[in-house]
Amino acid sequence: MTATQDTLRGHVFDDIVEFDNRLPNWWLWSLYLACIFSFGYWIHYHLLGTGPSSQQEFMAEMAALDKQMAAVVVTDDMLLAKATDAIALASGQAVFQASCFACHGATGGGTMLLEGQVAQLPGPNLTDRFWLHGGDATAIYRTIAQGVPNTAMVPWGPVLGTTKCQDVAAYVVSLRNTNANGGKEPQGQEYSGR
């Protein structure tokens, strides 16, 4: 029998005949090797437990990130200097517009204009002199990086990283006391620092 001959399987169903086509060797070998690999994978990760699980890898990465974030010393002076740096402010504004505007509004006032009406957003007004979790630059950075438990303010540190959190904090510091038009009513304690 030659490779060009068609071989019938020998049964007919509703006048339909089926050819006995052999799968290509490369396809069969890739199947066999995938089966062998999956068996070895199962033994290594699930049966013997000698490899880390995805949960363990995640926890190790989060511990490394926590260690990295703890090693970075953020000071008021550093953030205030960034608040006057055009590059840091542009970076912070870009991140703010992408990640923070949904809760704080495009201007940071805590409101948004929808169909001609002012809608109150979940986040507080960032443009006045009143702050819920501290108005100094390091408190703003800490709120951004670590979040606030049991609120809509999630920790952005693991998502954004240290540098972007610093840039966003510097941008928010630059918004302080600008009093955006149509902003939310004051919330929290008055901050009179620099």
Side-chain angles (χ1 to χ4, degrees):
M1 177 168 72
T2 65
T4 58
Q5 271 184 318
D6 292 328
T7 305
L8 295 176
R9 293 202 60 184
H11 62 83
V12 177
F13 185 77
D14 283 343
D15 292 329
I16 299 173
V17 293
E18 184 179 357
F19 289 112
D20 188 10
N21 292 329
R22 180 167 159 67
L23 292 171
N25 284 335
W26 67 267
W27 194 94
L28 290 172
W29 278 106
S30 63
L31 173 68
Y32 300 149
L33 292 174
C35 291
I36 291 169
F37 174 80
S38 64
F39 184 70
Y41 183 94
W42 175 72
I43 289 175
H44 179 61
Y45 286 99
H46 298 285
L47 190 62
L48 299 177
T50 54
S53 69
S54 57
Q55 179 74 17
Q56 291 167 331
E57 286 180 352
F58 174 74
M59 295 306 286
E61 289 175 8
M62 291 305 293
L65 180 65
D66 289 343
K67 186 177 179 182
Q68 177 188 4
M69 290 186 71
V72 175
V73 178
V74 178
T75 64
D76 279 342
D77 293 333
M78 180 184 77
L79 292 172
L80 291 172
K82 276 188 166 235
T84 60
D85 179 15
I87 296 172
L89 283 178
S91 170
Q93 183 178 14
V95 173
F96 186 90
Q97 296 300 328
S99 303
C100 308
F101 85 97
C103 290
H104 297 285
T107 62
T111 59
M112 183 181 291
L113 191 62
L114 292 174
E115 299 178 5
Q117 295 186 3
V118 176
Q120 299 286 319
L121 298 173
N125 186 348
L126 303 176
T127 64
D128 60 11
R129 64 181 188 272
F130 294 89
W131 293 84
L132 290 171
H133 308 289
D136 60 328
T138 53
I140 293 170
Y141 170 79
R142 189 172 38 256
T143 301
I144 293 168
Q146 298 174 0
V148 179
N150 302 319
T151 67
M153 184 62 190
V154 298
W156 285 98
V159 177
L160 298 176
T162 305
T163 303
K164 286 186 179 179
C165 281
Q166 291 172 4
D167 292 347
V168 172
Y171 177 70
V172 171
V173 166
S174 75
L175 292 178
R176 189 172 48 193
N177 297 326
T178 59
N179 297 314
N181 287 335
K184 264 187 173 178
E185 293 297 317
Q187 296 173 289
Q189 301 294 320
E190 184 175 2
Y191 177 75
S192 57
R194 58 184 181 126

